[in-house]
Amino acid sequence: MLKFPAIKIKQYNKEVYTFKAMGKDILNFASIDRIKRDDTGRLLGYQRIEVSKHIKEIVNYLTDENSILANSIVVCFDSNVKYERINDDFGYICIPQDNIYGQIVDGQQRATALNTLQNKNFEVVVNAFITDNTDEQREQFILINNTKPLAKSLIYELLPEVNSELPSTYKDKLIPNKLISILNTQTHSPFFHTIKTHTFPDGYIKDNTIIKLLNASLMNGTLFNFTSNVVTGKATNDIDSMVSLLNAFWGAVEKTFPKDWKLPPTKTRLTHGVGILALSNIMENIIYKKILRKNPNYLEEGSYIISDFEKYLEPIKDKIDWQKGKYDFADDGYIRNIMDIQNTSKDIDLFRIFLLQQLLKG
């Protein structure tokens, strides 16, 4: 049993324990739960991937005799770890040695560096809390790192796993990243493993592009219809219907342009931000100008299939060469190669209007 003298700090109904430990011992009682997904796509862990360069820089710094590490290592223990009270403010953190019962919430790079430091007597401050709730661990990880330069892709992927109140800067990312998580892990989805996220670094469609199109539809488009209950007036999020509709439309895109859908944006403008955002506008147009005019109850029916959209995409199938096409996008006599269209507001609007015109001509 490891026993560390600790100060107990009361914060609302939570308790935080502060104690000192040798840097080399941190990984003997706390591990690094790096973010990953299991075979079913379920999110596991929450820490960023190890950055070897950063760790080496920390080791080099701490080797200097004048160095100081004032930042604490934040550890979450499960209930196997106990606090043994001496008085109101002091006691012992008691850690069984038969297993690792702690997860590092903040300081994974520092802990890894300390583990390789030649000075085995280097002491560090540890701040700890005790909970068996993994959601609380993830919540603390996000909040602690909110003001630090943490990879946005990591934060975004963790957001759907947190049920508590989030900083306002993240609220508009919650539903889009929930949708991305599902679309990217459903084997039957056209987006399966195509969206580049922290756990799917080989994806070729940028998560920011998908977030942008989803937010536009959630705020003032088709997906907005699944975010509120007109009967009760209470805000609801029908994620299943959103996913089903998105799979139907983008499945139709995949069937219409199968070769381009499998290529990265460096080889085709279909999977580039310009193409994805233009096609999302096409989806809205097809639903509101075509489908709903024929069937006003389409969105309420909750049954969406690829063939709903495939016939409407047919007119542009042979009109757009996503790799080598040259077009007068602005209708001003200036011919541009489609691969020269860039992910700027001006070009996105230009290509969105151009693609819509091709659809209407059909």
Side-chain angles (χ1 to χ4, degrees), residues 75-98:
V75 176
C76 170
F77 290 114
D78 67 27
S79 56
N80 287 287
V81 174
K82 307 297 182 184
Y83 176 69
E84 188 179 285
R85 179 179 177 276
I86 296 176
N87 58 37
D88 288 343
D89 299 315
F90 298 97
Y92 289 95
I93 285 289
C94 303
I95 308 172
Q97 292 182 276
D98 60 332

Side-chain angles (χ1 to χ4, degrees), residues 117-316:
L117 194 65
Q118 288 187 346
N119 180 5
K120 301 304 180 183
N121 294 316
F122 194 96
E123 297 178 338
V124 294
V125 176
V126 178
N127 284 323
F129 59 99
I130 299 174
T131 180
D132 288 322
N133 188 337
T134 56
D135 285 346
E136 187 174 350
Q137 295 175 25
R138 288 173 176 156
E139 173 192 349
Q140 291 303 319
F141 176 74
I142 290 175
L143 295 176
I144 287 170
N145 286 285
N146 186 34
T147 58
K148 297 184 180 181
L150 193 65
K152 283 186 170 60
S153 61
L154 171 57
I155 288 291
Y156 292 165
E157 211 164 347
L158 287 169
L159 291 178
E161 308 297 324
V162 177
N163 296 317
S164 57
E165 186 70 13
L166 291 165
S168 58
T169 52
Y170 293 139
K171 286 182 178 179
D172 66 339
K173 307 293 192 304
L174 184 58
I175 298 177
N177 280 281
K178 178 69 173 178
L179 293 170
I180 287 174
S181 175
I182 297 171
L183 294 170
N184 219 13
T185 55
Q186 280 187 342
T187 55
H188 64 275
S189 172
F191 287 106
F192 180 63
H193 287 190
T194 66
I195 305 171
K196 185 174 184 178
T197 65
H198 201 78
T199 56
F200 294 112
D202 294 331
Y204 49 87
I205 300 176
K206 289 185 177 180
D207 59 347
N208 279 339
T209 297
I210 304 300
I211 289 172
K212 187 179 293 186
L213 79 86
L214 292 174
N215 266 332
S217 188
L218 285 163
M219 292 175 63
N220 192 31
T222 306
L223 296 185
F224 176 77
N225 293 278
F226 305 113
T227 62
S228 60
N229 188 314
V230 294
V231 177
T232 64
K234 294 181 179 179
T236 60
N237 296 310
D238 186 353
I239 298 296
D240 290 342
S241 292
M242 294 183 198
V243 170
S244 178
L245 185 66
L246 291 166
N247 279 337
F249 174 75
W250 292 101
V253 171
E254 181 184 29
K255 286 195 69 175
T256 305
F257 307 104
K259 292 181 180 179
D260 287 278
W261 186 256
K262 300 299 181 184
L263 296 175
T266 54
K267 295 184 177 181
T268 176
R269 275 303 179 259
L270 176 65
T271 57
H272 190 275
V274 170
I276 294 292
L277 293 174
L279 283 165
S280 70
N281 182 66
I282 293 295
M283 181 188 80
E284 300 290 346
N285 188 274
I286 290 174
I287 291 173
Y288 282 107
K289 299 292 181 64
K290 308 283 187 180
I291 296 177
L292 287 177
R293 287 184 178 178
K294 291 183 177 180
N295 179 10
N297 298 318
Y298 177 73
L299 294 177
E300 286 77 21
E301 290 172 355
S303 177
Y304 318 113
I305 54 177
I306 290 174
S307 59
D308 292 343
F309 298 95
E310 200 173 0
K311 59 185 176 182
Y312 294 112
L313 290 175
E314 189 68 26
I316 62 173

Side-chain angles (χ1 to χ4, degrees), residues 15-159:
E15 293 179 350
V16 178
Y17 309 100
T18 300
F19 60 93
K20 72 173 183 178
M22 295 296 180
K24 65 178 179 62
D25 292 331
I26 299 296
L27 295 182
N28 290 333
F29 58 76
S31 64
I32 299 167
D33 194 12
R34 292 195 177 91
I35 189 169
K36 52 191 174 294
R37 291 187 185 272
D38 63 16
D39 293 338
T40 66
R42 186 168 61 93
L43 192 68
L44 305 172
Y46 47 83
Q47 280 281 11
R48 72 192 98 185
I49 297 170
E50 182 178 300
V51 183
S52 56
K53 181 181 178 182
H54 186 203
I55 292 170
K56 186 176 181 180
E57 289 173 348
I58 296 173
V59 173
N60 291 340
Y61 168 70
L62 294 178
T63 302
D64 191 318
E65 291 184 356
N66 294 318
S67 64
I68 182 173
L69 186 60
N71 290 351
S72 65
I73 307 294
V74 181
V75 176
C76 170
F77 290 114
D78 67 27
S79 56
N80 287 287
V81 174
K82 307 297 182 184
Y83 176 69
E84 188 179 285
R85 179 179 177 276
I86 296 176
N87 58 37
D88 288 343
D89 299 315
F90 298 97
Y92 289 95
I93 285 289
C94 303
I95 308 172
Q97 292 182 276
D98 60 332
N99 206 337
I100 301 293
Y101 296 108
Q103 299 285 346
I104 296 176
V105 175
D106 186 47
Q108 74 165 89
Q109 318 290 9
R110 280 167 278 148
T112 304
L114 288 163
N115 194 51
T116 62
L117 194 65
Q118 288 187 346
N119 180 5
K120 301 304 180 183
N121 294 316
F122 194 96
E123 297 178 338
V124 294
V125 176
V126 178
N127 284 323
F129 59 99
I130 299 174
T131 180
D132 288 322
N133 188 337
T134 56
D135 285 346
E136 187 174 350
Q137 295 175 25
R138 288 173 176 156
E139 173 192 349
Q140 291 303 319
F141 176 74
I142 290 175
L143 295 176
I144 287 170
N145 286 285
N146 186 34
T147 58
K148 297 184 180 181
L150 193 65
K152 283 186 170 60
S153 61
L154 171 57
I155 288 291
Y156 292 165
E157 211 164 347
L158 287 169
L159 291 178

Side-chain angles (χ1 to χ4, degrees), residues 292-349:
L292 287 177
R293 287 184 178 178
K294 291 183 177 180
N295 179 10
N297 298 318
Y298 177 73
L299 294 177
E300 286 77 21
E301 290 172 355
S303 177
Y304 318 113
I305 54 177
I306 290 174
S307 59
D308 292 343
F309 298 95
E310 200 173 0
K311 59 185 176 182
Y312 294 112
L313 290 175
E314 189 68 26
I316 62 173
K317 182 177 182 178
D318 298 321
K319 290 184 179 180
I320 304 295
D321 184 336
W322 296 94
Q323 301 176 46
K324 299 178 182 179
K326 295 180 179 181
Y327 306 101
D328 183 1
F329 295 108
D331 199 23
D332 58 0
Y334 177 47
I335 306 299
R336 294 176 64 183
N337 190 310
I338 195 169
M339 292 299 288
D340 291 336
I341 296 291
Q342 300 301 315
N343 203 16
T344 64
S345 297
K346 182 179 179 181
D347 275 6
I348 289 171
D349 285 342

